[in-house]
Amino acid sequence: MSDISLKPVLAVTPGSLLGSQILGSQSSLATEELASGAQGGSPCRKWARAWASTGMARSLYEWLWQHEFWLPPGITWEDMQESEDVRYPQPRDLLLSIPFALILVVIRYAFERAIALPLSSKLGVRDKQRPKAQPNPMLETFYSTRCKNPEEGELITLAKQCDLPVRKVERWFRRRRNTDRPSLSKKFCEACWRFTFYIISFFTGLAVLYDKPWLWDHRECWTGYPQQPLQPSLFWYYLLELSFYWSLVFTLPFDVKRKDFKEQIVHHAATIFLISFSYCANYIRIGTLVMVIHDAADCFLEPTKIFNYMKWKKTCDSLFMIFSAVFLISRLVIFPYTVLYNTYYYSMEIFQPFFGYYFVNALLIILQLLHVFWSCLIMHMVYKFILQGTMEKDMRSDTEESDKDQGRENIKEKEKNGITYFSSVTSNNYIQRNGSEPLNNRTHLTNGHVKER
C-alpha cells in the first residue's frame, strides 16, 4: 500500500486533528447559529446554546480520550506521534469499512445470482413445493400484527369470525408460516457465499501472519506496545474482516433466521466493536490472532451446510465431525490459551493494568461465552450423532411444518367415529413396531379390529 493510502488523516490525541476537526466544525456551527439569530429567536439564546454544545463536546472529547484510559501507565499520546516512516492506526480509517461493506453486499448479490443459484440447480438442490395459504384478509391481519402461531383459544375465536372449521384455520397458519420460511436454494446460496469468504479470509490471514513473530511467540504481541507501527498488510486484513461483518449486519433482515438469531446479533455487535476497538487502541497483533482462529472453524461449517442441502448424507456427516473437532479445539482450547491467557497474563509482564486492559478482556470474555453456548449445541448434536449414527438436523433451524399434521388430526377424528383409514405414510410412522407386519398390508380398522387383506 502506498504512503498516501496510510497517511494519517485522524489522530487519537486530544490535541490532534480529530479534536480540531470536531471542535472546529462545532465552532462554525456556533457562528452560523449566531448569524441566523436575527431571523428567528433570540440571538443571545442561540449563541449560548451553540457555545454550550461546543463546550460540552470539547469536555466529552477530552474526557473520553484521556491517555489514562487507553494507554499503559507511563505512556501518553505524545509518545504516539507519527513520522514519515512510522504510521499508527487512526480511528477514521475504520470509516472505509462502511463503503467496503456495501461493495461486499453488491458482490454477494451478484455471486448468489450468477454463480450460487445456477450451481444449486446443477447439484440437485430443489425447493419443496409448498401449498399456499388461501387469501383471507382477517387471518392475514392477525398473522401480520399479532401472532404467527396462535393458541387454541385464539384459533377457535378466529374460526368463528371467519366461519371456518378450526382445522382449516390451523392449516392456514401452518401454510402461511411455511411461506415465510427461506427456501432451500436461498440457504444454499447463503452458505456458498459465506464459505467463499471464509476460505479467502482464512488464507489471507495465514498469508499475512505466517512471517509475523507473534503468530509463533504470543508474548511478541506486547513487545513495544503500544508503539507498534501499522503495516499495510495488517490494515487491509482488518478492513476485509470488519467490512464483512458490517455487511452481515446490513443483510441481517434478509438472511436466513435461525433460533439463535439474538445470539447472532450479539456476536456481530461484539465482533465489530472488538475489531474496531482493537484497531483504535493498537491491539492489532492480538486482533489478527482472534480473526484467524475464528475463520478456521467457519471454513468447515459452511460446506457442511452445503452438502446437507444437497442431501449428500455421508459427506455431510464427515464434514460435521471435522467441523465439530476444529470448532471445539479452536474455540475452547486455542482461543483461551492464545488470546485470553495472552491478554490477561502475558500483557502484565510488560505493563500494569489500566482501563483499556480490563475493557478488551471483558469483550473477549463475552465472545468466549458465545463460544461456550455454541459449543453446547454442537456437543449435543455430536452426542445424537454417536447414538443414532446420523447427524441431527441443525437445532438452530426452524423445522418446516407439514400437512401430515392435518392427517393426524383426521385420524383422531375418524377414530372417534370408530373407523380410521391408514395410509402407507401414517402406518410406517406410527404403527409399525416390535417387528410386526407393516400396516400397509392391512386394510383398515373397523370398530377397533384389524382386518387382513
Side-chain angles (χ1 to χ4, degrees):
M1 181 166 45
S2 65
D3 291 341
I4 296 178
S5 60
L6 276 179
K7 185 176 181 180
V9 292
L10 200 58
V12 294
T13 63
S16 65
L17 182 59
L18 175 60
S20 62
Q21 287 181 344
I22 295 177
L23 300 178
S25 62
Q26 299 221 0
S27 297
S28 63
L29 289 176
T31 305
E32 293 176 2
E33 291 277 5
L34 183 59
S36 62
Q39 300 178 2
S42 170
C44 293
R45 183 178 299 174
K46 288 181 173 291
W47 179 86
R49 187 186 304 119
W51 179 260
S53 64
T54 303
M56 290 175 60
R58 183 191 301 274
S59 300
L60 177 61
Y61 177 80
E62 292 179 352
W63 175 83
L64 179 63
W65 289 109
Q66 295 181 68
H67 63 83
E68 292 87 356
F69 287 169
W70 309 112
L71 297 178
I75 303 294
T76 65
W77 293 117
E78 285 69 23
D79 299 323
M80 301 288 292
Q81 294 297 326
E82 295 183 328
S83 63
E84 294 183 357
D85 299 327
V86 177
R87 310 294 185 194
Y88 292 114
Q90 307 298 333
R92 193 173 179 178
D93 296 344
L94 300 179
L95 295 177
L96 291 174
S97 63
I98 303 300
F100 272 81
L102 296 176
I103 292 174
L104 284 179
V105 172
V106 174
I107 294 175
R108 171 183 174 175
Y109 180 83
F111 173 86
E112 291 184 354
R113 294 298 178 272
I115 299 177
L117 192 59
L119 184 62
S120 67
S121 300
K122 292 184 179 180
L123 294 177
V125 178
R126 298 286 184 269
D127 294 330
K128 293 182 179 179
Q129 295 297 325
R130 298 169 176 170
K132 294 184 178 181
Q134 295 296 325
N136 190 310
M138 184 176 295
L139 296 181
E140 184 65 36
T141 300
F142 185 92
Y143 180 88
S144 303
T145 60
R146 294 188 59 185
C147 179
K148 296 184 178 181
N149 194 4
E151 301 291 338
E152 183 177 357
E154 294 173 322
L155 288 172
I156 295 174
T157 302
L158 289 171
K160 291 180 180 179
Q161 293 175 352
C162 298
D163 194 22
L164 293 172
V166 176
R167 290 184 292 104
K168 287 189 176 181
V169 175
E170 187 176 8
R171 180 171 57 189
W172 187 94
F173 276 96
R174 181 166 52 248
R175 291 182 174 181
R176 184 65 180 83
R177 289 192 296 269
N178 283 339
T179 303
D180 284 348
R181 289 189 171 90
S183 63
L184 201 61
S185 59
K186 180 179 180 180
K187 294 180 180 179
F188 179 90
C189 292
E190 180 180 313
C192 284
W193 164 250
R194 296 196 180 196
F195 171 66
T196 302
F197 176 83
Y198 288 135
I199 284 291
I200 294 174
S201 177
F202 178 66
F203 284 101
T204 298
L206 291 181
V208 168
L209 294 177
Y210 84 97
D211 61 342
K212 304 299 186 293
W214 61 87
L215 179 64
W216 315 105
D217 183 2
H218 305 321
R219 284 183 170 85
E220 288 292 327
C221 290
W222 309 108
T223 301
Y225 179 83
Q227 296 166 306
Q228 297 171 338
L230 176 64
Q231 301 179 23
S233 59
L234 299 180
F235 168 79
W236 287 110
Y237 181 45
Y238 252 78
L239 188 62
L240 176 67
E241 290 279 356
L242 185 57
S243 300
F244 175 71
Y245 282 102
W246 271 121
S247 72
L248 292 183
V249 172
F250 296 157
T251 59
L252 204 57
F254 313 104
D255 286 342
V256 177
K257 291 182 175 61
R258 295 182 170 85
K259 294 180 181 179
D260 62 346
F261 180 74
K262 294 180 180 179
E263 288 79 5
Q264 286 283 356
I265 295 177
V266 175
H267 174 269
H268 294 342
T271 302
I272 290 173
F273 195 82
L274 188 59
I275 292 176
S276 302
F277 171 75
S278 65
Y279 184 86
C280 295
N282 207 12
Y283 288 109
I284 288 183
R285 295 186 179 184
I286 200 70
T288 53
L289 295 179
V290 173
M291 293 187 292
V292 76
I293 289 173
H294 278 71
D295 291 340
D298 293 331
C299 290
F300 293 96
L301 173 61
E302 301 306 327
T304 302
K305 296 179 183 179
I306 292 173
F307 284 106
N308 183 41
Y309 302 146
M310 293 167 55
K311 301 189 185 304
W312 290 22
K313 199 64 178 174
K314 293 184 178 180
T315 306
C316 176
D317 292 345
S318 301
L319 281 174
F320 171 72
M321 295 304 294
I322 296 174
F323 159 73
S324 301
V326 174
F327 186 94
L328 296 176
I329 292 174
S330 63
R331 306 294 176 92
L332 299 184
V333 179
I334 298 178
F335 183 85
Y337 173 72
T338 304
V339 178
L340 293 180
Y341 188 85
N342 191 358
T343 57
Y344 194 79
Y345 289 104
Y346 287 166
S347 60
M348 293 298 94
E349 297 178 359
I350 308 298
F351 47 76
Q352 296 298 315
F354 59 102
F355 175 78
Y357 162 82
Y358 294 112
F359 190 70
V360 71
N361 276 284
L363 292 175
L364 292 172
I365 289 174
I366 292 175
L367 204 56
Q368 182 61 19
L369 291 177
L370 291 170
H371 294 165
V372 173
F373 170 79
W374 282 307
S375 296
C376 292
L377 296 181
I378 292 172
M379 286 188 288
H380 178 77
M381 296 177 69
V382 171
Y383 176 74
K384 291 291 185 180
F385 177 84
I386 295 174
L387 291 182
Q388 300 175 2
T390 183
M391 188 185 74
E392 187 186 47
K393 179 180 176 62
D394 187 355
M395 64 182 65
R396 302 177 306 152
S397 301
D398 289 331
T399 302
E400 184 166 337
E401 299 168 280
S402 171
D403 283 343
K404 292 179 182 178
D405 296 336
Q406 185 66 37
R408 301 186 191 114
E409 294 173 5
N410 292 337
I411 291 174
K412 292 180 181 178
E413 184 176 352
K414 291 180 180 180
E415 281 178 346
K416 294 179 181 178
N417 299 327
I419 299 177
T420 303
Y421 291 89
F422 285 80
S423 66
S424 60
V425 174
T426 56
S427 65
N428 288 336
N429 286 342
Y430 295 100
I431 307 300
Q432 184 180 1
R433 57 171 65 92
N434 298 328
S436 61
E437 182 182 0
L439 289 182
N440 55 3
N441 293 331
R442 308 177 184 183
T443 53
H444 57 269
L445 280 177
T446 304
N447 298 325
H449 299 285
V450 180
K451 291 185 177 181
E452 303 291 342
R453 290 180 178 175

